[in-house]
């Protein structure tokens, strides 16, 4: 019927953003080229025992040299958008001070080529690769780093503002703060909960300092966002203890950053749960941090489970019989809808962009022109169904980015885990499209066709 048709094709308007995300250190390579400075990930990866098989981002996907070929792949996959990060150490090699024109030139060429191919760029200013020189001065434990970030952001904005209208200040503050400073599985490898809390505060502050400076520079209509990676927490039994435990985990995993960004305060109980005192919050910090955003970026991977038996600040292990990826993460598409509902209900951001969603499986290339990855096709199909449901409920999702365009450097897992829609044969640097890439391209095309039909008849 007419109504059914309308509901169906209204799901994703023609301006909906479709594409994939990447990050600089995970794909660029060329780490010692054209004046790039060292980052905390260069240092961490070179430290024995930190990364699987000692893999580093030195070569990665040579995207620094192959970006035109990679943009041609995006075009083949029907993307109308692409979300990438800028490497701070390429722009300001020492973190503060001298600006490296060659670094700016690279992103200039990248953006020009994207636009020439009709692909909208979304720029992330920070995806984990802090200049190492700043780490030597205390990194995110120091308030001054927030100021340095604001200066760096302004330099990038001045260069790209005439062509880039979508900006993301930070990717996944929980990972920066907790994985990097609380448990040390990511760079800079510190393991102290108070450090995690302090680092997290300075990341939020950096965002707060940047907002007014970007607003003053960007074109009217430009959008500024912040990306979090919510893990909805599920109590596995009905007890009060389980419910309370779920609340504790939720404020540790999600509300630690969402409450400051949208409500200007940290959640009650967070500092005590971490066994810490408050971070160094100065007058105006919280008001700056809570200045309005244009959109919230959401990266979704999985959920956390808890029960009456657990009391530590961590999720229960994934049960043997639950579906999971090769990272060991539970596959739970319903959790994406749940995460979006919670964010919408509690924080009501003006718009939401799914800035990452994806999974690693054991993909095998047999030398042919296509890599078969039926599990990833199913993963994408089921998660996109959750997004369709969210949009049907009126949640303002405006874009979807798969993690990731190509297999890449998976941080502490090195090159051993493959998340791409495109397979990469690392020795030859050959790119081979996966079945999931073709599936996604067809999905995008179908959505855009039906959007065009609806918008014409409206
Ligand atoms: C993203 O982080 C990153 O933005 C991206 O760079 C990365 O390559 C991609 O995901 C794939 O990993 O302790 O239960 O939370 C994802 C966030 C944080 C999700 C760590 C999994 C470990 C399990 N990840 N988390 S848990």
């Amino acid at each position: 019927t007419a109504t059914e048709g309308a509901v169906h094709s209204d799901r994703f308007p023609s301006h909906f953003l479709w594409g994939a995300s990447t990050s600089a250190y995970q794909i660029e390579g060329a780490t010692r080229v054209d004046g790039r400075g060292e980052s905390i990930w260069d240092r961490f990866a070179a430290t024995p025992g930190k990364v699987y098989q000692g893999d580093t981002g030195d070569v990665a996907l040579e995207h620094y040299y192959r970006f035109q070929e990679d943009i041609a792949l995006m075009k083949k996959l029907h993307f109308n958008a692409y979300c990438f990060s800028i490497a701070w150490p390429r722009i300001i090699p020492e973190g503060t001070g001298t600006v490296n024109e060659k670094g700016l030139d690279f992103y200039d060429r990248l953006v020009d080529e994207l636009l020439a191919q009709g692909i909208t760029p979304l720029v992330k200013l920070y995806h984990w690769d802090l200049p190492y020189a700043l780490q030597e001065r205390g990194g995110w434990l120091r308030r001054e780093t927030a100021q340095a970030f604001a200066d760096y952001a302004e330099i990038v904005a001045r260069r790209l503002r005439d062509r880039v209208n979508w900006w993301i200040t930070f990717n996944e503050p929980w990972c920066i703060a907790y994985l990097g400073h609380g448990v040390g599985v990511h760079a800079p490898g510190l393991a102290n909960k108070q450090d995690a809390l302090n680092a997290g505060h300075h990341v939020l502050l950096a965002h707060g300092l940047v907002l007014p400076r970007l607003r003053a520079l960007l074109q009217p209509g430009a959008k500024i966002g912040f990306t979090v990676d919510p893990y909805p927490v599920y109590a596995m039994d009905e007890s009060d203890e389980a419910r309370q435990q779920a609340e504790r985990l939720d404020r540790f995993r999600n509300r630690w950053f969402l409450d400051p960004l949208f409500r200007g305060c940290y959640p009650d109980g967070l500092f005590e749960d971490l066994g810490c005192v408050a971070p160094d919050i100065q007058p105006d910090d919280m008001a700056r941090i809570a200045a309005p955003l244009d959109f919230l970026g959401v990266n979704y991977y999985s959920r956390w489970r808890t029960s009456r038996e657990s009391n530590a600040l961590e999720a229960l292990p994934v049960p043997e019989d639950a579906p999971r990826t090769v990272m060991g993460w539970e596959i739970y598409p319903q959790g994406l809808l749940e995460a979006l509902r919670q964010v919408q209900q509690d924080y009501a951001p003006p718009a939401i962009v799914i800035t990452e969603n994806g999974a690693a499986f054991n993909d095998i290339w047999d030398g042919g022109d296509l890599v078969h990855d039926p599990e990833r096709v199913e993963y994408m199909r089921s998660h996109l169904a959750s997004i369709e449901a969210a949009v049907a409920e009126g949640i303002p999702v405006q874009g979807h980015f798969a993690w990731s365009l190509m297999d890449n450097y998976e941080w502490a897992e090195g090159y051993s885990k493959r998340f791409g829609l495109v397979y990469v044969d690392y020795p030859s640097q050959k790119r081979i499209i996966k079945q999931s890439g073709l599936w996604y391209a067809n999905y995008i095309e179908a959505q855009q066709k039906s959007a065009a039909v609806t918008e014409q008849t409206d």
Side-chain angles (χ1 to χ4, degrees):
T1 68
T3 350
E4 262 166 20
V7 168
H8 177 83
S9 44
D10 279 354
R11 279 187 312 215
F12 301 117
S14 56
H15 56 78
F16 197 87
L17 303 167
W18 296 108
S21 285
T22 61
S23 92
Y25 189 69
Q26 293 180 274
I27 66 168
E28 286 178 359
T31 54
R32 293 177 183 80
V33 170
D34 289 346
R36 178 186 177 280
E38 195 184 4
S39 81
I40 55 173
W41 265 95
D42 296 284
R43 200 42 89 103
F44 189 75
T47 309
K50 297 295 185 191
V51 175
Y52 177 79
Q53 289 191 351
D55 286 350
T56 73
D58 287 354
V59 177
L61 312 192
E62 295 180 351
H63 175 76
Y64 190 77
Y65 305 110
R66 295 171 184 267
F67 70 93
Q68 283 170 314
E69 175 188 348
D70 294 337
I71 292 171
L73 276 169
M74 298 176 206
K75 194 78 195 149
K76 225 174 182 166
L77 298 180
H78 295 302
F79 292 3
N80 65 9
Y82 171 54
C83 182
F84 63 95
S85 82
I86 304 235
W88 183 351
R90 278 199 201 285
I91 308 301
I92 306 178
E94 299 296 314
T96 54
T98 314
V99 175
N100 177 34
E101 282 301 318
K102 286 186 173 163
L104 285 166
D105 288 345
F106 169 67
Y107 297 104
D108 228 16
R109 296 196 298 275
L110 180 69
V111 164
D112 282 346
E113 180 65 17
L114 286 166
L115 293 175
Q117 299 301 327
I119 297 172
T120 299
L122 276 77
V123 166
K124 280 179 285 191
L125 289 164
Y126 189 84
H127 197 131
W128 308 357
D129 46 359
L130 185 77
Y132 186 72
L134 285 179
Q135 189 61 43
E136 285 186 302
R137 292 182 255 153
W140 289 115
L141 299 181
R142 256 173 103 242
R143 214 178 150 80
E144 286 75 4
T145 298
Q147 202 58 60
F149 177 79
D151 296 340
Y152 147 70
E154 186 166 329
I155 286 160
V156 176
R158 281 187 190 283
R159 187 63 174 260
L160 300 180
R161 64 180 161 176
D162 56 333
R163 286 155 291 156
V164 174
N165 283 318
W166 290 86
W167 295 80
I168 295 170
T169 54
F170 283 90
N171 178 67
E172 298 184 350
W174 187 86
C175 295
I176 301 167
Y178 196 72
L179 299 183
H181 301 78
V183 287
V185 298
H186 282 181
L190 304 180
N192 176 299
K193 303 225 172 13
Q194 188 69 53
D195 285 350
L197 206 50
N198 295 343
H201 185 68
H202 294 140
V203 165
L204 285 168
L205 176 64
H207 165 78
L209 294 177
V210 160
L211 268 177
R213 290 173 67 173
L214 285 193
R215 291 242 182 264
L217 284 173
L218 301 180
Q219 306 190 86
K223 298 189 189 299
I224 308 175
F226 188 106
T227 285
V228 293
D229 61 324
Y231 264 63
V233 182
Y234 287 73
M236 292 289 123
D237 65 69
E238 316 251 277
S239 65
D240 282 349
E241 294 91 320
R243 196 182 38 76
Q244 280 165 17
Q245 179 63 4
E247 273 171 29
R248 288 176 69 211
L249 287 179
D250 182 43
R251 66 181 174 242
F252 163 60
R253 190 60 179 82
N254 304 311
R255 299 186 190 276
W256 175 355
F257 295 96
L258 285 166
D259 275 16
L261 285 168
F262 289 95
R263 295 177 177 163
C265 57
Y266 285 101
D268 283 340
L270 172 72
F271 308 151
E272 294 81 344
D273 285 350
L274 284 164
C276 295
V277 298
D280 159 43
I281 304 170
Q282 297 197 6
D284 299 340
D285 283 6
M286 300 313 289
R288 287 195 163 110
I289 291 167
L293 286 173
D294 301 311
F295 69 99
L296 180 70
V298 166
N299 295 350
Y300 177 75
Y301 287 92
S302 190
R303 66 161 163 177
W304 271 6
R305 298 162 171 253
T306 190
S307 76
R308 86 176 87 207
E309 272 89 45
S310 60
N311 45 41
L313 267 193
E314 54 189 36
L316 289 177
V318 179
E320 282 308 315
D321 58 350
R324 62 175 87 205
T325 72
V326 295
M327 297 293 283
W329 305 344
E330 181 180 3
I331 302 176
Y332 194 69
Q334 180 68 20
L336 173 51
L337 179 56
E338 185 56 33
L340 291 172
R341 282 177 177 157
Q342 280 177 16
V343 158
Q344 180 62 14
Q345 199 177 43
D346 295 344
Y347 305 105
I352 296 174
V353 175
I354 310 297
T355 35
E356 290 183 22
N357 174 235
F361 294 106
N362 282 321
D363 305 316
I364 294 162
W365 178 45
D366 63 7
D369 326 326
L370 189 68
V371 168
H372 292 276
D373 60 341
E375 293 161 292
R376 189 173 290 98
V377 171
E378 176 49 25
Y379 184 98
M380 293 193 75
R381 195 203 55 72
S382 57
H383 287 76
L384 281 159
S386 273
I387 300 173
E388 290 171 15
V391 171
E393 287 178 15
I395 300 175
V397 183
Q398 295 193 355
H400 170 268
F401 293 82
W403 183 269
S404 184
L405 173 64
M406 301 169 282
D407 297 337
N408 61 44
Y409 182 74
E410 179 50 28
W411 306 113
E413 307 287 335
Y415 297 99
S416 68
K417 297 292 189 291
R418 298 180 175 272
F419 278 85
L421 299 178
V422 175
Y423 184 96
V424 177
D425 177 52
Y426 293 109
S428 66
Q429 288 290 345
K430 194 172 151 61
R431 279 85 160 126
I432 304 106
I433 292 179
K434 299 182 194 176
Q435 198 187 349
S436 57
L438 293 183
W439 182 88
Y440 187 47
N442 283 331
Y443 182 91
I444 295 172
E445 212 184 10
Q447 294 301 328
Q448 288 179 330
K449 272 192 187 139
S450 80
V453 171
T454 330
E455 286 164 24
Q456 223 163 44
T457 47
D458 278 353

